[in-house]
Coordinates of all heavy atoms in Angstrom, one line a residue:
M1 N -8.0 -59.0 36.0 CA -9.3 -59.6 36.1 C -9.6 -60.1 34.7 O -9.5 -59.6 33.7 CB -10.4 -58.5 36.6 CG -11.8 -59.0 36.5 SD -13.1 -57.8 37.0 CE -13.0 -57.9 38.7
D2 N -10.3 -61.3 34.7 CA -10.8 -62.0 33.6 C -12.1 -61.4 33.3 O -13.1 -61.5 34.0 CB -10.9 -63.4 33.8 CG -11.3 -64.3 32.5 OD1 -12.2 -63.8 31.8 OD2 -10.7 -65.3 32.2
L3 N -12.2 -60.7 32.2 CA -13.3 -60.0 31.8 C -14.6 -60.9 31.6 O -15.9 -60.5 31.7 CB -13.3 -59.1 30.7 CG -12.3 -57.9 30.9 CD1 -12.2 -57.1 29.6 CD2 -12.8 -57.1 32.1
R4 N -14.4 -62.1 31.2 CA -15.5 -63.2 31.0 C -16.0 -63.6 32.1 O -17.1 -63.9 32.4 CB -14.9 -64.3 30.1 CG -14.6 -63.8 28.6 CD -14.0 -65.1 27.9 NE -13.0 -65.6 28.7 CZ -11.7 -66.0 28.4 NH1 -11.5 -65.8 27.1 NH2 -10.9 -66.4 29.2
T5 N -15.2 -64.0 33.2 CA -15.5 -64.7 34.5 C -15.6 -63.8 35.6 O -16.2 -64.1 36.7 CB -14.5 -65.9 34.8 OG1 -13.3 -65.3 35.1 CG2 -14.5 -66.8 33.5
G6 N -14.9 -62.6 35.5 CA -14.8 -61.8 36.7 C -13.9 -62.3 37.7 O -13.6 -61.7 38.8
G7 N -13.0 -63.4 37.4 CA -12.1 -63.9 38.3 C -10.8 -63.0 38.3 O -10.5 -62.4 37.3
I8 N -10.0 -63.0 39.5 CA -8.9 -62.3 39.6 C -7.7 -63.1 39.0 O -7.5 -64.3 39.3 CB -8.5 -62.1 41.0 CG1 -9.5 -61.1 41.7 CG2 -7.1 -61.5 41.2 CD1 -9.5 -60.9 43.1
E9 N -7.0 -62.5 38.0 CA -5.9 -63.2 37.3 C -4.5 -63.1 38.0 O -3.9 -64.0 38.0 CB -5.8 -62.6 35.9 CG -7.0 -62.8 34.8 CD -7.0 -64.2 34.6 OE1 -6.0 -64.8 34.1 OE2 -8.1 -64.8 34.6
W10 N -4.3 -61.9 38.5 CA -3.2 -61.7 39.4 C -3.3 -60.5 40.3 O -4.2 -59.8 40.1 CB -1.9 -61.6 38.6 CG -1.9 -60.5 37.6 CD1 -2.4 -60.5 36.3 CD2 -1.4 -59.1 37.8 NE1 -2.2 -59.2 35.6 CE2 -1.7 -58.2 36.7 CE3 -0.9 -58.4 38.8 CZ2 -1.4 -57.1 36.5 CZ3 -0.5 -57.1 38.7 CH2 -0.9 -56.4 37.5
T11 N -2.5 -60.5 41.3 CA -2.5 -59.2 42.2 C -1.1 -58.7 42.4 O 0.0 -59.4 42.2 CB -3.1 -59.6 43.6 OG1 -2.3 -60.6 44.2 CG2 -4.5 -60.1 43.4
F12 N -1.0 -57.4 42.9 CA 0.3 -56.8 43.1 C 0.2 -56.2 44.5 O -0.9 -55.5 44.9 CB 0.7 -55.7 42.2 CG 1.9 -55.0 42.5 CD1 3.1 -55.6 42.2 CD2 2.0 -53.8 43.2 CE1 4.3 -54.9 42.5 CE2 3.1 -53.2 43.6 CZ 4.2 -53.7 43.2
R13 N 1.1 -56.6 45.4 CA 1.2 -56.0 46.8 C 2.4 -55.1 47.0 O 3.4 -55.4 46.8 CB 1.3 -57.2 47.7 CG -0.1 -58.0 47.7 CD -0.1 -59.0 48.7 NE -1.4 -59.6 48.7 CZ -1.7 -60.9 48.6 NH1 -0.7 -61.7 48.3 NH2 -2.9 -61.3 48.6
T14 N 2.0 -53.9 47.5 CA 3.0 -52.8 47.7 C 3.7 -53.2 49.0 O 3.4 -54.1 49.8 CB 2.4 -51.4 47.9 OG1 1.6 -51.5 49.1 CG2 1.6 -51.1 46.8
D15 N 4.9 -52.7 49.3 CA 5.7 -53.0 50.5 C 5.0 -52.6 51.7 O 4.8 -53.5 52.6 CB 7.0 -52.3 50.4 CG 8.0 -52.9 49.4 OD1 7.8 -53.9 49.0 OD2 8.9 -52.1 49.1
G16 N 4.2 -51.6 51.6 CA 3.3 -51.2 52.7 C 2.3 -52.2 53.0 O 2.0 -52.6 54.2
Y17 N 1.6 -52.8 51.9 CA 0.7 -53.7 52.1 C 1.2 -55.0 52.8 O 0.6 -55.5 53.6 CB 0.0 -54.1 50.7 CG -1.1 -55.0 51.0 CD1 -2.5 -54.5 51.1 CD2 -1.0 -56.4 50.9 CE1 -3.5 -55.4 51.2 CE2 -2.1 -57.2 51.0 CZ -3.4 -56.7 51.3 OH -4.4 -57.6 51.5
K18 N 2.4 -55.4 52.3 CA 3.1 -56.6 52.8 C 3.3 -56.4 54.3 O 3.1 -57.4 55.1 CB 4.3 -56.9 52.2 CG 4.1 -57.4 50.7 CD 5.6 -57.4 49.9 CE 5.3 -57.6 48.6 NZ 6.5 -57.6 47.9
M19 N 3.6 -55.2 54.7 CA 3.9 -55.0 56.2 C 2.7 -54.8 57.1 O 2.7 -55.3 58.2 CB 4.8 -53.8 56.3 CG 6.1 -53.9 55.9 SD 7.3 -52.5 56.2 CE 6.4 -51.1 55.4
Y20 N 1.6 -54.2 56.5 CA 0.5 -53.9 57.4 C -0.8 -54.6 57.1 O -1.8 -54.4 57.9 CB 0.3 -52.3 57.4 CG 1.3 -51.4 57.9 CD1 2.3 -51.0 57.1 CD2 1.5 -51.4 59.2 CE1 3.3 -50.1 57.7 CE2 2.6 -50.7 59.9 CZ 3.4 -50.1 59.0 OH 4.5 -49.3 59.5
A21 N -1.0 -55.4 56.0 CA -2.1 -56.0 55.8 C -2.9 -56.8 56.8 O -4.1 -56.7 56.9 CB -2.0 -56.9 54.5
R22 N -2.0 -57.6 57.6 CA -2.7 -58.4 58.6 C -3.3 -57.7 59.8 O -4.1 -58.0 60.5 CB -1.7 -59.4 59.2 CG -1.2 -60.3 58.1 CD -2.2 -61.4 57.7 NE -3.2 -61.2 56.7 CZ -3.2 -60.8 55.4 NH1 -2.1 -60.8 54.8 NH2 -4.2 -60.7 54.6
K23 N -2.8 -56.3 59.9 CA -3.3 -55.4 60.9 C -4.8 -55.1 60.6 O -5.6 -54.9 61.4 CB -2.6 -54.0 60.9 CG -3.0 -53.0 61.9 CD -2.1 -51.8 61.9 CE -2.9 -50.8 62.9 NZ -1.8 -49.6 62.9
Y24 N -5.1 -55.0 59.2 CA -6.5 -54.6 58.8 C -7.3 -55.7 58.1 O -8.5 -55.6 58.3 CB -6.4 -53.5 57.8 CG -5.7 -52.2 58.3 CD1 -4.3 -51.8 58.0 CD2 -6.3 -51.3 59.2 CE1 -3.7 -50.7 58.4 CE2 -5.6 -50.3 59.7 CZ -4.3 -50.0 59.5 OH -3.8 -48.9 59.9
F25 N -6.8 -56.7 57.6 CA -7.5 -57.6 56.7 C -7.2 -59.0 57.3 O -6.1 -59.4 57.8 CB -7.0 -57.6 55.3 CG -7.4 -56.3 54.7 CD1 -6.3 -55.5 54.3 CD2 -8.7 -55.9 54.3 CE1 -6.5 -54.1 53.8 CE2 -9.0 -54.7 53.7 CZ -7.8 -53.9 53.4
Q26 N -8.2 -60.0 57.1 CA -8.0 -61.3 57.5 C -7.1 -61.9 56.4 O -6.8 -61.5 55.4 CB -9.3 -62.1 57.5 CG -10.3 -61.5 58.6 CD -11.6 -62.2 58.6 OE1 -11.8 -63.2 58.1 NE2 -12.5 -61.7 59.5
E27 N -6.7 -63.2 56.8 CA -5.7 -63.9 55.9 C -6.1 -64.0 54.5 O -5.3 -63.9 53.6 CB -5.5 -65.3 56.3 CG -4.6 -65.4 57.5 CD -3.0 -65.1 57.2 OE1 -2.6 -65.3 56.1 OE2 -2.5 -64.4 58.1
D28 N -7.4 -64.2 54.1 CA -7.8 -64.3 52.7 C -8.0 -63.0 52.1 O -8.3 -63.0 50.9 CB -9.1 -65.1 52.6 CG -10.3 -64.4 53.4 OD1 -10.2 -63.2 53.8 OD2 -11.4 -65.0 53.4
D29 N -7.8 -61.8 52.7 CA -7.8 -60.4 52.2 C -9.3 -60.1 51.8 O -9.4 -58.9 51.3 CB -6.9 -60.3 51.1 CG -5.4 -60.1 51.4 OD1 -5.2 -59.8 52.6 OD2 -4.6 -60.3 50.5
R30 N -10.2 -60.9 52.1 CA -11.5 -60.5 51.6 C -12.4 -59.6 52.7 O -13.3 -58.9 52.4 CB -12.4 -61.7 51.2 CG -11.8 -62.3 50.0 CD -12.5 -63.5 49.7 NE -11.7 -64.2 48.6 CZ -12.3 -64.9 47.6 NH1 -13.5 -65.0 47.6 NH2 -11.6 -65.5 46.7
L31 N -12.0 -59.9 53.9 CA -12.8 -59.3 55.1 C -11.8 -58.4 56.0 O -10.6 -58.9 56.1 CB -13.5 -60.3 55.8 CG -14.5 -61.1 55.1 CD1 -15.0 -62.1 55.9 CD2 -15.7 -60.1 54.7
F32 N -12.4 -57.4 56.5 CA -11.6 -56.8 57.6 C -11.4 -57.7 58.8 O -12.2 -58.5 59.0 CB -12.4 -55.5 58.0 CG -12.2 -54.4 56.9 CD1 -13.3 -53.9 56.2 CD2 -11.0 -53.8 56.8 CE1 -13.2 -52.8 55.3 CE2 -10.9 -52.7 55.8 CZ -12.0 -52.4 55.2
V33 N -10.5 -57.4 59.7 CA -10.3 -58.0 60.9 C -11.5 -57.6 61.8 O -12.2 -56.7 61.6 CB -9.0 -57.6 61.6 CG1 -7.8 -58.2 60.9 CG2 -8.8 -56.1 61.8
A34 N -11.8 -58.5 62.8 CA -12.9 -58.3 63.6 C -12.9 -57.0 64.4 O -14.1 -56.4 64.6 CB -12.9 -59.4 64.6
N35 N -11.9 -56.4 64.8 CA -11.8 -55.2 65.4 C -11.6 -53.9 64.6 O -11.0 -52.9 65.0 CB -10.6 -55.2 66.6 CG -9.2 -55.3 65.9 OD1 -9.1 -55.7 64.8 ND2 -8.2 -54.8 66.7
I36 N -12.0 -54.0 63.3 CA -11.7 -52.9 62.3 C -12.3 -51.6 62.9 O -11.7 -50.5 62.5 CB -12.2 -53.2 60.9 CG1 -11.6 -52.4 59.9 CG2 -13.8 -53.4 60.8 CD1 -10.2 -52.5 59.7
G37 N -13.5 -51.6 63.5 CA -14.2 -50.3 63.9 C -13.2 -49.6 65.0 O -13.2 -48.4 65.0
A38 N -12.6 -50.4 65.8 CA -11.7 -49.7 66.8 C -10.4 -49.3 66.0 O -9.8 -48.3 66.5 CB -11.3 -50.8 67.9
L39 N -10.0 -50.0 65.0 CA -8.8 -49.5 64.3 C -9.1 -48.3 63.4 O -8.1 -47.4 63.2 CB -8.3 -50.7 63.4 CG -7.6 -51.8 64.1 CD1 -7.3 -53.0 63.1 CD2 -6.4 -51.4 64.9
I40 N -10.2 -48.2 62.9 CA -10.5 -47.1 62.0 C -11.9 -46.5 62.3 O -12.9 -46.7 61.8 CB -10.8 -47.6 60.4 CG1 -9.5 -48.5 60.1 CG2 -11.1 -46.5 59.5 CD1 -9.7 -49.1 58.7
P41 N -11.7 -45.7 63.5 CA -13.1 -45.0 64.0 C -13.5 -43.8 63.3 O -14.6 -43.3 63.5 CB -12.6 -44.7 65.4 CG -11.2 -44.5 65.4 CD -10.6 -45.5 64.4
N42 N -12.6 -43.2 62.4 CA -13.1 -42.0 61.7 C -12.2 -41.8 60.4 O -11.3 -42.7 60.1 CB -12.7 -40.8 62.7 CG -11.2 -40.9 63.3 OD1 -10.3 -41.0 62.3 ND2 -11.0 -40.6 64.4
G43 N -12.5 -40.7 59.8 CA -11.9 -40.6 58.4 C -10.3 -40.4 58.6 O -9.6 -40.9 57.6
S44 N -9.9 -39.7 59.5 CA -8.4 -39.7 59.7 C -7.7 -40.9 59.8 O -6.6 -41.2 59.2 CB -8.1 -38.8 60.9 OG -8.5 -37.4 60.8
A45 N -8.4 -41.9 60.6 CA -7.8 -43.2 60.8 C -7.8 -44.0 59.4 O -6.9 -44.7 59.0 CB -8.5 -44.1 61.9
M46 N -9.0 -43.7 58.6 CA -9.0 -44.4 57.3 C -7.8 -43.9 56.4 O -7.2 -44.7 55.7 CB -10.2 -44.1 56.6 CG -10.5 -44.7 55.3 SD -10.7 -46.5 55.3 CE -12.4 -46.6 55.9
L47 N -7.5 -42.7 56.4 CA -6.4 -42.1 55.6 C -5.2 -42.8 56.1 O -4.3 -43.0 55.3 CB -6.4 -40.5 55.7 CG -7.7 -39.8 55.0 CD1 -7.5 -38.3 55.3 CD2 -7.6 -40.1 53.6
K48 N -5.0 -42.8 57.3 CA -3.7 -43.4 57.9 C -3.6 -44.9 57.4 O -2.5 -45.2 57.0 CB -3.7 -43.4 59.5 CG -2.5 -44.1 60.1 CD -2.6 -44.0 61.6 CE -1.4 -44.6 62.2 NZ -1.3 -44.7 63.6
M49 N -4.7 -45.7 57.3 CA -4.6 -47.0 56.9 C -4.1 -47.0 55.4 O -3.4 -47.7 55.0 CB -6.1 -47.6 56.9 CG -6.1 -49.0 56.4 SD -7.6 -49.8 56.3 CE -8.4 -48.9 54.9
Y50 N -4.8 -46.1 54.6 CA -4.4 -46.1 53.3 C -2.9 -45.7 53.0 O -2.2 -46.2 52.2 CB -5.2 -45.0 52.4 CG -6.7 -45.4 52.2 CD1 -7.6 -44.4 52.2 CD2 -7.0 -46.7 52.1 CE1 -9.0 -44.7 52.0 CE2 -8.3 -47.0 51.8 CZ -9.3 -46.0 51.9 OH -10.7 -46.5 51.7
A51 N -2.3 -44.8 53.9 CA -1.0 -44.4 53.9 C -0.1 -45.5 54.2 O 0.9 -45.9 53.6 CB -0.8 -43.2 54.8
Q52 N -0.5 -46.3 55.3 CA 0.4 -47.4 55.7 C 0.4 -48.5 54.7 O 1.4 -49.1 54.3 CB -0.2 -48.0 57.0 CG 0.1 -47.1 58.2 CD -0.3 -47.9 59.6 OE1 -1.4 -48.5 59.6 NE2 0.4 -47.6 60.6
L53 N -0.8 -48.8 54.0 CA -0.8 -49.8 53.1 C -0.3 -49.4 51.7 O -0.1 -50.2 50.9 CB -2.3 -50.3 52.9 CG -2.9 -50.9 54.0 CD1 -4.4 -51.2 53.8 CD2 -2.3 -52.3 54.4
R54 N 0.0 -48.2 51.6 CA 0.6 -47.5 50.3 C -0.4 -48.0 49.2 O 0.0 -48.5 48.2 CB 2.0 -47.9 50.0 CG 3.0 -47.3 51.1 CD 4.4 -47.7 50.9 NE 5.1 -47.4 52.1 CZ 6.0 -48.2 52.7 NH1 6.3 -49.3 52.3 NH2 6.7 -47.7 53.7
A55 N -1.7 -47.7 49.4 CA -2.7 -48.1 48.5 C -2.6 -47.5 47.2 O -2.0 -46.5 46.9 CB -4.1 -47.6 49.1
V56 N -3.1 -48.3 46.1 CA -3.2 -47.9 44.8 C -4.5 -47.5 44.4 O -5.4 -48.4 44.4 CB -2.6 -49.1 43.8 CG1 -2.7 -48.7 42.4 CG2 -1.1 -49.6 44.2
F57 N -4.7 -46.3 44.1 CA -6.0 -45.8 43.6 C -5.9 -45.4 42.1 O -7.0 -44.9 41.6 CB -6.5 -44.5 44.4 CG -6.7 -44.9 46.0 CD1 -5.9 -44.6 46.9 CD2 -7.7 -45.7 46.2 CE1 -6.1 -44.8 48.2 CE2 -8.0 -46.2 47.6 CZ -7.1 -45.7 48.5
S58 N -4.8 -45.2 41.6 CA -4.7 -44.8 40.2 C -5.1 -45.8 39.2 O -5.1 -46.9 39.5 CB -3.2 -44.4 39.9 OG -2.3 -45.5 39.9
Q59 N -5.5 -45.2 38.0 CA -5.9 -46.2 37.0 C -4.6 -46.5 36.2 O -3.7 -45.7 36.0 CB -6.8 -45.3 35.9 CG -7.3 -46.2 34.8 CD -8.3 -45.5 34.0 OE1 -8.7 -44.5 34.3 NE2 -8.6 -46.0 32.9
P60 N -4.4 -47.7 35.9 CA -3.1 -48.1 35.3 C -3.1 -47.8 33.8 O -4.2 -47.5 33.2 CB -3.2 -49.8 35.4 CG -4.7 -50.1 35.4 CD -5.2 -49.0 36.3
V61 N -1.9 -47.6 33.4 CA -1.6 -47.2 32.0 C -0.9 -48.4 31.3 O 0.1 -48.9 32.0 CB -0.7 -46.0 32.0 CG1 -0.4 -45.6 30.4 CG2 -1.5 -44.8 32.4
L62 N -1.3 -48.8 30.2 CA -0.7 -49.8 29.4 C 0.2 -49.3 28.3 O -0.2 -48.4 27.6 CB -1.6 -50.8 28.7 CG -2.6 -51.6 29.7 CD1 -3.5 -52.4 28.8 CD2 -1.8 -52.6 30.6
L63 N 1.4 -49.6 28.4 CA 2.5 -49.2 27.5 C 3.2 -50.3 26.8 O 4.1 -50.8 27.5 CB 3.5 -48.2 28.2 CG 4.5 -47.4 27.4 CD1 3.9 -46.6 26.4 CD2 5.4 -46.7 28.3
G64 N 2.8 -50.7 25.7 CA 3.3 -52.0 25.1 C 3.1 -53.2 26.1 O 1.8 -53.5 26.3
R65 N 4.1 -53.9 26.4 CA 3.9 -55.1 27.4 C 4.1 -54.6 28.9 O 4.2 -55.5 29.7 CB 5.0 -56.2 27.1 CG 4.7 -56.7 25.8 CD 5.7 -57.8 25.3 NE 5.9 -58.7 26.5 CZ 5.3 -59.8 26.8 NH1 4.2 -60.2 26.1 NH2 5.6 -60.7 27.8
K66 N 4.0 -53.3 29.2 CA 4.2 -52.8 30.6 C 3.0 -52.2 31.1 O 2.2 -51.6 30.3 CB 5.4 -51.8 30.6 CG 6.7 -52.4 30.2 CD 7.7 -51.3 30.2 CE 9.0 -52.0 29.9 NZ 10.0 -51.2 29.1
I67 N 2.8 -52.4 32.3 CA 1.6 -51.7 33.0 C 2.3 -50.7 34.2 O 3.2 -51.1 34.9 CB 0.7 -52.8 33.7 CG1 -0.5 -52.0 34.4 CG2 1.4 -53.5 34.7 CD1 -1.5 -53.0 34.7
L68 N 1.9 -49.5 34.1 CA 2.3 -48.5 35.0 C 1.2 -48.0 35.9 O 0.0 -47.8 35.4 CB 2.8 -47.3 34.3 CG 4.2 -47.5 33.5 CD1 3.8 -48.0 32.0 CD2 5.1 -46.4 33.5
F69 N 1.4 -47.9 37.2 CA 0.5 -47.3 38.2 C 1.3 -46.8 39.3 O 2.4 -47.0 39.5 CB -0.5 -48.3 38.5 CG 0.1 -49.6 39.2 CD1 0.4 -49.6 40.5 CD2 0.6 -50.6 38.3 CE1 0.9 -50.9 41.1 CE2 1.2 -51.7 38.9 CZ 1.3 -51.8 40.2
A70 N 0.5 -45.9 40.1 CA 1.1 -45.3 41.2 C 0.4 -45.5 42.5 O -0.8 -45.8 42.4 CB 1.2 -43.7 41.0
S71 N 1.1 -45.6 43.6 CA 0.6 -45.8 44.8 C 0.4 -44.5 45.6 O 1.1 -43.4 45.1 CB 1.3 -46.7 45.7 OG 2.6 -46.2 46.1
N72 N -0.4 -44.2 46.7 CA -0.6 -43.0 47.3 C 0.5 -42.4 48.0 O 0.5 -41.3 48.5 CB -1.8 -42.9 48.1 CG -1.7 -43.8 49.4 OD1 -0.7 -44.7 49.5 ND2 -2.5 -43.5 50.4
D73 N 1.7 -43.1 48.1 CA 3.0 -42.6 48.7 C 3.9 -42.0 47.7 O 4.9 -41.6 47.8 CB 3.6 -43.6 49.4 CG 4.3 -44.8 48.7 OD1 4.0 -44.8 47.4 OD2 5.1 -45.6 49.2
G74 N 3.4 -41.9 46.4 CA 4.1 -41.3 45.3 C 5.0 -42.3 44.5 O 5.7 -41.9 43.7
T75 N 4.9 -43.5 44.8 CA 5.8 -44.5 44.1 C 5.1 -44.9 42.8 O 3.9 -45.1 42.7 CB 5.9 -45.8 44.9 OG1 6.6 -45.5 46.2 CG2 6.8 -46.8 44.2
L76 N 6.0 -44.8 41.7 CA 5.4 -45.2 40.4 C 6.0 -46.7 40.1 O 7.2 -47.0 40.2 CB 5.9 -44.2 39.3 CG 5.5 -44.6 37.9 CD1 4.1 -44.6 37.7 CD2 6.3 -43.6 37.0
Y77 N 5.1 -47.6 39.8 CA 5.4 -48.9 39.6 C 5.3 -49.2 38.1 O 4.4 -48.7 37.4 CB 4.5 -49.9 40.3 CG 4.5 -49.8 41.8 CD1 3.7 -49.0 42.5 CD2 5.5 -50.6 42.5 CE1 3.8 -48.9 43.9 CE2 5.5 -50.5 43.8 CZ 4.8 -49.7 44.5 OH 4.8 -49.6 45.9
C78 N 6.2 -50.0 37.5 CA 6.2 -50.5 36.1 C 6.5 -52.1 36.2 O 7.6 -52.4 36.5 CB 7.3 -49.8 35.3 SG 7.3 -50.2 33.6
L79 N 5.4 -52.8 35.8 CA 5.5 -54.2 35.7 C 5.5 -54.7 34.3 O 4.9 -54.0 33.4 CB 4.4 -54.8 36.5 CG 4.2 -54.3 37.9 CD1 2.9 -55.0 38.5 CD2 5.5 -54.6 38.8
E80 N 6.4 -55.7 34.0 CA 6.3 -56.2 32.7 C 5.7 -57.6 32.7 O 5.9 -58.4 33.6 CB 7.6 -56.2 32.1 CG 7.7 -56.8 30.6 CD 9.1 -56.4 29.9 OE1 10.0 -56.5 30.7 OE2 9.1 -56.2 28.8

């Protein structure tokens, strides 16, 4: 994110996100699909969505020119 403008500079998509994003989100990724209430009727379904998308909730760590973060499936990512 550009701290001056608030614009998104780049994004990272997990493999799970690539496989399941269209199930939950519209093409522009900004809004849920129209039937989201049927897909996620309760907290258990919400957790299932996070698991399928392999969501990233961790705070990233900067290490030199590398950024490290983990997804909720236990995968540790390191991007340069």
Side-chain angles (χ1 to χ4, degrees):
M1 173 182 280
D2 184 315
L3 296 178
R4 292 176 310 226
T5 66
I8 296 173
E9 292 289 312
W10 59 271
T11 61
F12 177 81
R13 294 186 168 121
T14 64
D15 290 338
Y17 186 88
K18 292 173 191 174
M19 289 189 300
Y20 293 104
R22 295 291 81 66
K23 178 177 178 181
Y24 300 106
F25 300 104
Q26 294 181 14
E27 281 294 321
D28 66 3
D29 283 341
R30 294 177 188 215
L31 297 173
F32 285 115
V33 292
N35 65 335
I36 196 65
L39 292 173
I40 308 175
N42 55 46
S44 294
M46 179 71 75
L47 292 175
K48 180 181 177 183
M49 177 189 73
Y50 290 149
Q52 284 183 330
L53 296 174
R54 298 179 187 134
V56 175
F57 295 111
S58 66
Q59 183 172 352
V61 173
L62 295 175
L63 186 63
R65 295 181 44 86
K66 296 178 178 148
I67 183 169
L68 293 95
F69 56 94
S71 62
N72 71 341
D73 69 348
T75 302
L76 178 63
Y77 295 94
C78 179
L79 307 176
E80 188 170 25

